[in-house]
Amino acid sequence: MDLGRSILSFFASLLYGSTIFNPAFPPKDCHFPAIYNFGASNSDTGGLAAAFVQPKPPNGETFFGKPAGRICDGRLIVDFTAKSLELPYLSSYLNSLGTNFSHGANFATSSSTIGIPVADIIPRGPASPFSLEIQVLQFAQFKNRSQIIREQGGVYASLMPREEDFTKALYTFDIGQNDITHSLFLNLTVSEIKSAIPDIINHFSTNIKELYRLGARSFWIYNTRPIGCFPKILTLFPSAEKDSTGCAKIYNELAQHFNAELKMALAHLRIQFPLATVVYVDLYSALYPLYTDPNIHGFVQSLITCCGYGGSYNYSFDAKCGETINVNGTYITVGSCEDPSIRVSWDGSHFTEAANRFAFDRVSTGDFSDPPIPLKLACTLGKHLLGFV
Ligand SMILES: *[C@@H]1O[C@H](CO)[C@@H](O)[C@H](O)[C@H]1NC(C)=O
Ligand SMILES: *[C@@H]1O[C@H](CO)[C@@H](O)[C@H](O)[C@H]1NC(C)=O
Ligand SMILES: *[C@@H]1O[C@H](CO)[C@@H](O)[C@H](O)[C@H]1NC(C)=O
Ligand SMILES: *[C@@H]1O[C@H](CO)[C@@H](O)[C@H](O)[C@H]1NC(C)=O
Ligand SMILES: *[C@@H]1O[C@H](CO)[C@@H](O)[C@H](O)[C@H]1NC(C)=O
């Protein structure tokens, strides 16, 4: 293990210390032909909507002009990812209407967890039945069945990915937040949640290994966002101690604890799978300036919900974005703020399109990656070891 680690870090330092940034040997972009995404609401482009119900207006108002399966006024990080790689926006695997999977598929559904939701699943509880393990099973089916459909030719072929693209594709992950927040909403203590994290991270690694076995090689994995800055958390746990930005310390520490364990697990996977590129992306740190220095980045009122109602944070559990509520005998529909393009929080626990764009612009450079690889080179680590770069 130690020898493996030192060999790997030797090659990694060659790669990142000299080759990649040596202008005499510019690295080749990966030209990913497809994206396969696994996650929860932060990257759901219509999965939960297809299985259950569409998010209501004003979701989608900024970009799509109507609800588009996303819990956001517009696009998500996964949408900006597809755009930057010059690929179409990803269709959800669960969406049976009008889908085109020629350049990948999205297995994410809102409220998904890494851990297996035993009870408490939608519609009787908060968790999505499509946990990461189920999403990976769906991918395995997709991989086989898409090729059977492709063989029918014509329009069928044009809707399905090419077999050789599965290994060349980018695999992105944005999941774990609900493993923490669902437990918080069930009143588990922070230390109870912390003690469950190793198990959750273990589940995550098991699923990555399964995808590797199925041919995935390029993994781009987001850590968990600063949940202690979410209007929903600040509203539900009003007595939590705040940091200088007004975020609840203990919940951000919990997210960072999760992130530290995830980072370690990915370092292990990198050693186990030297031919893969496994990138840990510190989305938490990329987003934090939206709370410490919002004005510098063109944002205001970071802790206040754009589409919400009531209380100190414009968030109320009984009056969520898009819902119609009865206020003293008058029915009102919870709409959005005047200018979502300068706001951070869309509905109290999800980000606006503007914040998602900000996050994507920062993380795609590689400045928040470990190892420090930009998105367009997230296939190069294993290839370099094989002498392909
Ligand atoms: C896909 O096909 C392979 C080979 O034919 C088979 O071993 C595997 O079990 C199949 N997987 C699924 C999910 O059907
Ligand atoms: C599916 O999308 C691909 C890429 O955008 C396109 O070339 C193909 O024609 C589409 N298939 C159909 C049936 O629209
Ligand atoms: C959690 O605790 C709060 C405050 O004591 C209580 O109102 C709520 O019903 C509890 N939630 C659950 C799921 O037990
Ligand atoms: C509803 O009516 C009560 C009693 O008149 C008043 O105190 C309260 O502010 C009203 N709520 C809203 C949201 O207008
Ligand atoms: C709070 O949400 C309402 C919609 O219910 C919106 O009109 C208002 O602008 C929001 N407040 C702020 C400060 O964004």
Side-chain angles (χ1 to χ4, degrees), residues 276-298:
T277 302
V278 179
V279 187
Y280 169 84
V281 187
D282 186 2
L283 187 54
Y284 181 107
S285 300
L287 284 166
Y288 216 76
L290 290 178
Y291 302 103
T292 49
D293 301 298
N295 301 346
I296 290 174
H297 301 292

Side-chain angles (χ1 to χ4, degrees), residues 216-262:
R217 291 295 178 269
S218 299
F219 300 89
W220 182 261
I221 301 163
Y222 292 110
N223 72 1
T224 283
R225 294 162 176 76
I227 57 170
C229 305
F230 291 1
K232 179 174 180 180
I233 295 278
L234 292 164
T235 302
L236 295 184
F237 305 103
S239 59
E241 193 193 332
K242 311 295 192 296
D243 68 10
S244 58
T245 63
C247 299
K249 275 185 178 175
I250 190 173
Y251 303 112
N252 277 346
E253 280 164 16
L254 183 56
Q256 282 182 301
H257 180 87
F258 176 94
N259 291 343
E261 301 238 350
L262 176 66

Side-chain angles (χ1 to χ4, degrees), residues 343-356:
R343 300 296 290 275
V344 174
S345 181
W346 169 242
D347 68 346
S349 51
H350 301 93
F351 289 82
T352 57
E353 167 171 298
N356 289 331

Side-chain angles (χ1 to χ4, degrees), residues 31-49:
H31 294 298
F32 295 113
I35 302 172
Y36 293 97
N37 180 70
F38 301 81
S41 53
N42 289 313
S43 63
D44 180 356
T45 57
L48 202 77

Side-chain angles (χ1 to χ4, degrees), residues 3-19:
L3 182 64
R5 190 192 298 264
S6 53
I7 291 172
L8 188 66
S9 62
F10 170 73
F11 278 109
S13 61
L14 267 187
L15 178 57
Y16 303 112
S18 56
T19 321

Side-chain angles (χ1 to χ4, degrees), residues 323-364:
E323 285 178 356
T324 298
I325 53 170
N326 182 335
V327 180
N328 285 350
T330 310
Y331 285 96
I332 62 159
T333 296
V334 180
S336 60
C337 58
E338 207 168 297
D339 190 359
S341 75
I342 54 169
R343 300 296 290 275
V344 174
S345 181
W346 169 242
D347 68 346
S349 51
H350 301 93
F351 289 82
T352 57
E353 167 171 298
N356 289 331
R357 182 197 294 273
F358 170 84
F360 176 75
D361 288 347
R362 283 166 77 83
V363 297
S364 56

